[in-house]
């Protein structure tokens, strides 16, 4: 299965990905996670992308596409992958398509997680993530069992810098302008599966898995 999770920031892409990969047995590839790991480890890539993430702007297409192909060309992606947060622009989608064609591969489905703006703002404001393992929580909707401590690995959970209010609005606007056109793009390719991202987390995962059968 070669899948893409598409949707605005806060739609629940990462949350769904964490559920889906257990059943689908494919690697979860999140460009946001890759960038954040590189920033944390102060790599060259991390230094290059930090200001974009801080400001909620998109990392340039060429650099992002290169990072994604470095990952997709690894052995564990041979039988499939779940892309989360890539592509985010038409040029990225074109570059993905071209790379797949060159490798004799094609996408199976693009899961479009639909959530309206008001809900997104509340979700991002309340999102908390584990510093260590990246597990995602919400202060109201999906709290940790012990306040401030990750259920999975007992590390500290924090708010992402780019989940502060002004950056959030920026990111939603970037989505509207640059990423939303991908819904039409993948509809034309006959790949879109639109799901209601306001459903409860596990119910939605079940619905996606059924649709993929
Ligand atoms: P969210 O899950 O809230 O949508 P991500 O973790 O996917 O956020 O992305 C965080 C940030 O990483 C983005 O605001 C952007 O700066 C950068 N980023 C992630 N994916 C891409 C991409 N495909 N193209 C450009 N920038 C990206
Ligand atoms: P994305 O990766 O699309 O930016 P996340 O998966 O990080 O989104 O989810 C954003 C926030 O919304 C998190 O705090 C998460 O716990 C919460 N969330 C995700 N899916 C749902 C859902 N179906 N219902 C309620 N809250 C959700
Ligand atoms: Zn953790």
């Amino acid at each position: 299965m070669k899948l893409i999770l598409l949707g605005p920031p806060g739609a629940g892409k990462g949350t769904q990905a964490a559920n889906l990969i257990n059943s689908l047995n494919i690697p979860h590839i999140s460009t946001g996670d890759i960038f954040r790991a590189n920033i944390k480890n102060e790599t060259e890539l991390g230094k290059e992308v930090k200001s974009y993430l801080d400001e909620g702007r998109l990392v340039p297409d060429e650099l992002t596409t290169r990072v994604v192909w470095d990952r997709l060309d690894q052995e564990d992606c041979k039988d499939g992958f779940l892309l989360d947060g890539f592509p985010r622009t038409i040029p990225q989608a074109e570059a993905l398509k071209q790379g797949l064609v060159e490798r004799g591969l094609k996408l199976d489905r693009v899961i479009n997680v639909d959530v309206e703006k008001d809900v997104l703002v509340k979700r991002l404001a309340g999102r908390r993530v584990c510093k260590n393992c990246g597990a995602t929580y919400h202060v109201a909707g999906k709290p940790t069992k012990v306040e401030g401590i990750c259920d999975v690995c007992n590390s500290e959970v924090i708010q992402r810098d780019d989940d502060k209010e002004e950056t959030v609005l920026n990111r939603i606007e970037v989505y509207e302008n640059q990423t939303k056109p991908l819904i039409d793009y993948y509809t034309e390719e006959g790949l879109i599966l639109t799901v209601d991202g306001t459903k409860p987390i596990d119910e939605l995962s079940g619905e996606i898995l059924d649709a993929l059968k």
Side-chain angles (χ1 to χ4, degrees):
M1 282 269 187
K2 295 174 193 69
L3 304 170
I4 291 174
L5 273 166
L6 186 66
K13 301 181 299 295
T15 301
Q16 288 306 319
N19 270 357
L20 296 173
I21 53 164
N22 285 328
S23 308
L24 297 172
N25 227 344
I26 49 178
H28 169 204
I29 299 168
S30 157
T31 38
D33 286 349
I34 294 173
F35 291 145
R36 279 186 293 275
N38 276 275
I39 291 170
K40 188 174 163 190
N41 296 327
E42 297 179 357
T43 67
E44 278 308 310
L45 174 64
K47 285 175 202 155
E48 228 174 310
V49 302
K50 186 174 187 308
S51 66
Y52 293 101
L53 275 88
D54 284 347
E55 292 158 26
R57 291 183 298 134
L58 294 182
V59 174
D61 289 332
E62 212 188 282
L63 177 57
T64 304
T65 301
R66 208 180 327 132
V67 166
V68 168
W69 276 113
D70 276 351
R71 183 66 189 86
L72 292 180
D73 281 331
Q74 288 172 28
E75 185 64 21
D76 64 328
C77 296
K78 198 167 54 58
D79 297 323
F81 47 78
L82 177 59
L83 281 170
D84 160 11
F86 180 92
R88 253 174 156 97
T89 65
I90 297 279
Q92 290 180 14
E94 290 286 355
L96 177 64
K97 181 155 83 177
Q98 193 197 328
L100 288 168
V101 168
E102 283 165 9
R103 291 161 178 82
L105 304 172
K106 65 179 178 50
L107 291 170
D108 292 295
R109 225 64 193 287
V110 176
I111 304 156
N112 174 38
V113 186
D114 185 32
V115 176
E116 60 177 299
K117 190 172 167 179
D118 298 358
V119 178
L120 297 175
V121 174
K122 287 194 195 110
R123 283 196 185 170
L124 293 168
R127 172 160 67 184
R128 297 292 182 272
V129 295
C130 173
K131 239 174 141 166
N132 176 48
C133 76
T136 301
Y137 301 92
H138 190 279
V139 288
K142 195 185 182 234
T144 52
K145 291 195 181 95
V146 179
E147 199 187 326
I149 302 294
C150 177
D151 294 353
V152 181
C153 74
N154 287 324
S155 298
E156 187 192 357
V157 292
I158 53 158
Q159 182 173 40
R160 265 167 54 176
D161 281 337
D162 62 343
D163 279 347
K164 309 268 156 73
E165 191 172 333
E166 52 171 75
T167 320
V168 161
L169 296 177
N170 236 348
R171 287 161 59 211
I172 294 174
E173 196 180 315
V174 166
Y175 166 80
E176 298 279 343
N177 294 333
Q178 308 213 55
T179 309
K180 210 173 176 187
L182 290 177
I183 298 175
D184 283 342
Y185 178 92
Y186 284 120
T187 300
E188 273 167 36
E189 305 250 309
L191 293 173
I192 279 278
L193 168 70
T194 295
V195 296
D196 176 0
T198 62
K199 289 188 176 169
I201 293 168
D202 292 339
E203 185 184 327
L204 184 57
S205 307
E207 191 181 308
I208 294 171
L209 288 171
D210 281 345
L212 292 176
K213 267 180 201 150

